[in-house]
Amino acid sequence: MKVADEETPLVKGKNPSIDNDDDASHDSRDFEPLMDRVKDVIKVYWSLGFIAFGGPTAHIGIFQDHLVRFHHWLKEDLFLELFALGQGLPGPTSTQLLISTAATHGGVLGGSIAFLMWSLPGFIVLTTASLFLYGIIDPSNPPIWLLGVPPAAVALIFKAFYGFAQKLDTLGVALAMLACAVSVLINHDENIPSNSSQIVYPVLLFGGGLLTYLDAHRSKPIGTYSK
C-alpha cells in the first residue's frame, strides 16, 4: 500500500500507483502538481461533513460510495486495506479513513484539509446545540421527530455492512457473524459489564487476524486469498 506524498502526483485526477501498476507508461508531463491535487481533494471532500450521517459505521459506507464507486479515486481493495488498518488502530476509524484516503491524492496537506472540512460542520452544529438547545427543547419531553432520528440511522449502518459483506469470503462471513454475536451479547447481558468492550473488541480484532493468518497457511484454506 502506498500513500502519495508531494512527490507522488496524480494522472488526470487519479493516482497512478492505484489505477495502473505500470507507472512507466505515463508521461511525467501529465502529472498534476500538488496544489491542483489539493484543489481536487477540496472539491470531492467538502460536502462529506454535511452528508455523512449515522455515525462511524455508516460513514464507511458513504466513503465507499463516494470515493470508490462514484469518483473512482480508489480501488476497492485499497479502500478495504485502509479500513482494516484503521480498525486496528486506536481512535475513530471513519476519521482515520477520511484522512488516509485524502492523503493518497493530496499528500499530508490534502489529508489535513479534508480533516478540517470533515470536522468543522459537526463542531459548529454541536457547539451551537450545546449552548442553545435546552433553551428550545425540553429534555424531559423531546419532540417525537427527534426520537425517530437514531432508528433511521440504523438503515445507513446496515447499508455499510451489506456493502462490505458482499466482498467477504466464507471465513470472513463467519468471523463477522461471530463478532456481531459477541457485540450483542456484551451489550445486552446483565451479567457482563458493559465496559468489557474495551477488552473484547481488541481481542476480536487480534483473533480475526490470527485466524486468517493460520487459515491462509493451510493446505485447504476456508478463505480466499490472492498470492
Side-chain angles (χ1 to χ4, degrees):
M1 180 182 67
K2 183 178 180 182
V3 177
D5 54 22
E6 287 73 8
E7 303 300 327
T8 307
L10 293 177
V11 178
K12 297 180 181 178
K14 296 183 180 180
N15 192 328
S17 64
I18 294 172
D19 295 305
N20 195 320
D21 293 333
D22 185 11
D23 291 348
S25 63
H26 296 293
D27 190 331
S28 61
R29 291 173 297 180
D30 292 333
F31 289 359
E32 294 186 12
L34 173 63
M35 293 312 299
D36 287 346
R37 289 182 279 130
V38 170
K39 291 178 182 178
D40 288 338
V41 168
I42 294 174
K43 291 177 183 178
V44 172
Y45 285 78
W46 74 269
S47 62
L48 289 178
F50 297 95
I51 65 174
F53 297 96
T57 305
H59 297 165
I60 305 302
I62 293 174
F63 295 164
Q64 189 177 31
D65 289 341
H66 201 69
L67 303 175
V68 177
R69 296 166 182 165
F70 183 75
H71 288 286
H72 304 290
W73 270 23
L74 295 171
K75 285 188 176 181
E76 190 87 28
D77 290 344
L78 178 58
F79 181 86
L80 294 177
E81 186 178 348
L82 291 172
F83 170 69
L85 181 61
Q87 286 285 76
L89 296 174
T93 300
S94 60
T95 302
Q96 293 167 342
L97 187 60
L98 176 102
I99 296 172
S100 61
T101 53
T104 61
H105 297 279
V108 175
L109 179 60
S112 301
I113 292 176
F115 171 70
L116 180 63
M117 293 188 298
W118 168 254
S119 305
L120 194 58
F123 172 79
I124 294 174
V125 171
L126 288 178
T127 300
T128 303
S130 66
L131 294 175
F132 303 107
L133 185 62
Y134 284 164
I136 302 173
I137 297 176
D138 182 6
S140 62
N141 186 29
I144 298 299
W145 63 266
L146 193 60
L147 297 177
V149 172
V154 174
L156 295 174
I157 297 174
F158 176 79
K159 180 183 182 300
F161 172 77
Y162 181 75
F164 281 114
Q166 290 181 311
K167 299 295 181 179
L168 296 177
D169 54 23
T170 303
L171 180 63
V173 172
L175 291 174
M177 296 304 296
L178 175 62
C180 289
V182 172
S183 300
V184 172
L185 178 64
I186 65 176
N187 281 284
H188 293 280
D189 192 312
E190 59 184 17
N191 297 317
I192 300 178
S194 58
N195 62 354
S196 62
S197 60
Q198 301 172 13
I199 299 175
V200 172
Y201 290 153
V203 170
L204 285 173
L205 290 173
F206 176 79
L210 179 61
L211 287 175
T212 303
Y213 176 81
L214 295 175
D215 181 63
H217 288 78
R218 296 173 64 241
S219 58
K220 295 182 178 181
I222 301 174
T224 303
Y225 308 97
S226 58
K227 301 296 184 182

